[in-house]
Amino acid sequence: MLFSLIESSRSALASIIAHGLRSFLTTLGIVIGVASVIAVISVTQGMSSFIGDTFASLGSNSLTIQSYTPFEDQMKGIRARLTPEDMELIERRAEGIASITPVLFANRASQIKFGSQTAFSRIMGTTYAFQDVSQSYMSLGRFIAQSDNLTRRRVVIIGDKVRENLNMPDNPVNEYVDIGGEWFKIVGLMEAKGEIMGQSQDDIVLMPYNTMRSLQGNQARTDIQIQLSLSESAVLENVTAQLTTLLRNAHDLDSDEDDDFQIQTAEQLMETFDTVINMVTIVIGGIVSISLLVGGIGIMNIMLVSVTERTREIGICKAIGAKRHHILMQFLIEALLLSLLGGLIGLAIGYGLGTLISSSIPSFPPASIPLWSVALALGFSGFVGVLFGILPAAKAANLDPIDALRYE
Amino acid sequence: MALIELNGVTKYYEMGDQVVKALDGIDIDVEKNDYLAFIGSSGSGKSTMLNILGCLDKPSSGQYHLNGKNVESLDANELSEIRNLEIGFIFQSFNLLPRATALGNVMQPLVYRGIGHRKRKEMAMESLERVGLGDRVDHLPNQLSGGQRQRVAIARALVTHPSILLADEPTGNLDSQTTIEIMQLFDELHAEGHTLIVVTHEDEIAQHCHRVVEMKDGRVFNDSTTSSAAVTS
């Protein structure tokens, strides 16, 4: 069996080389199919591993709690809220928490003015603990201090993107900006963090939490976000469970009611991104595999032509003693080799293409090809070769030697 | 026991609603080292005879024993094996594989026998040297003359050491000088102990043979052994 496999490969290879151009054109369908699959996968996988790295740098031991209102309830005008009291409760009762900070988002259009320049940004009120929770570092000036919060000082920390958008000098510390008609002094500039999925992490303005509250008129019905980081020894699942119990009790939820809040970890967020990317990979991969199918049909077509063309040769081989399986193997292996060669060429082109795409778009992560995609591409093209090679090969193997010898 | 025994062999073809009797009750024995010619006009059943003898086709009725084996009961794969082991074909149009060299062509039957590459090459070289083409082994068929091509075909037939050499109009595509050379080669092979069966319509070819079977309308019309055909074993 191995012997006839080697012999068949030998003659199949000879035949492929003998029809160089035709073999190339035949495999073109497979080449294009595999190349696109690999290009898509390498780009999305590159993106995915990049996002993984980014989130890892965000600190995987941090948690975000926010209120959650199901869409149905929103329609009824019901709004779940997380209150400052909830945070105090967590601070007092929960174990395993290193730092905790409220985050209050501006509820109006977040317009910032500097001189004649106007920009929009994400404005949030928070406390000194935010620096630890979010792993932010200052490149200039200082972060929000506890005293800022207690005295509701009108100070802000800005991200680098905001400085850029407002055409501020390289060192914006001690400059004043106008937010919602109030003057704020810039006390610090954060270190640039880059982008996640095209969204800048540096387009951000932080002010003391109490300042933000007073800006919003000290509403009783504030809905805050709580961000916290875990202490070294804490187990994420335990803390999550504890927080859930605390908040459910505080919100008087019955056992049959759903949580009116969400606890998100950086890891969960990452998983969400991963899911999206995997979906994209699968969908595009599916579309692209249709082109592999078309490539396979191309191979079958040429193999059928080849069988007809070589009918006499098949007759000769049968006359001098070729059995059915000899002929079958020869044509099957030829189809297999054709599509595998196409797969290999496609792999190379696809990788080149992926690298080209990711290097030509600025701020795009480098392409990476996971081993499974190589195996998948080769496996699939091999499968296509066998699938579409079997019919022509069987046709060849079943030829009657006398008819085949007489064929002109 | 004779090498080939045909008993009441018939071969019928259905052409529309007509039945053509290509072979109509053939009884013939061929001994080892026979040098036999089937002659006859076209349509006499020569080609069908060759197909049956060469195990390319099976008789409609009657019995064919080749080297003691009854061919009738064999399936397509077993017939392939018989052809590989017992029969060396030499065709009018040479029937060489166009993309294989002379050496490759001669090695091909040994592939189906499962012989390794080195041994194949050795046997094929020996066979090519026997027919006087030791210096042309790397040529493709279209780089060889007609006579040389037929020598390659003969080498291919010889390489398996078959029981019979079966030639179908072996000189039909050759000029007269080459024909003489090929027939001389046949004579030599016969002298070396090979069994040769030649199907031809040319009397000059038949004259080389020691036994001439004339066919007509699917029957043996005349079976004559010339005086020189003395060697039987």
Side-chain angles (χ1 to χ4, degrees), chain A residues 7 312 318 320 322-324, chain B residues 80-81 83-84 93 95:
Chain A
E7 291 306 328
R312 202 181 164 88
K318 286 205 154 185
I320 62 176
K323 290 180 184 167
R324 216 178 153 273
Chain B
S80 282
E81 196 170 323
R83 288 196 293 271
N84 188 251
S93 48
N95 277 345

Side-chain angles (χ1 to χ4, degrees), chain B residues 152-172:
Chain B
V152 174
I154 293 168
R156 181 177 66 188
L158 285 174
V159 77
T160 58
H161 302 295
S163 305
I164 49 171
L165 287 171
L166 212 52
D168 180 15
E169 306 275 10
T171 59

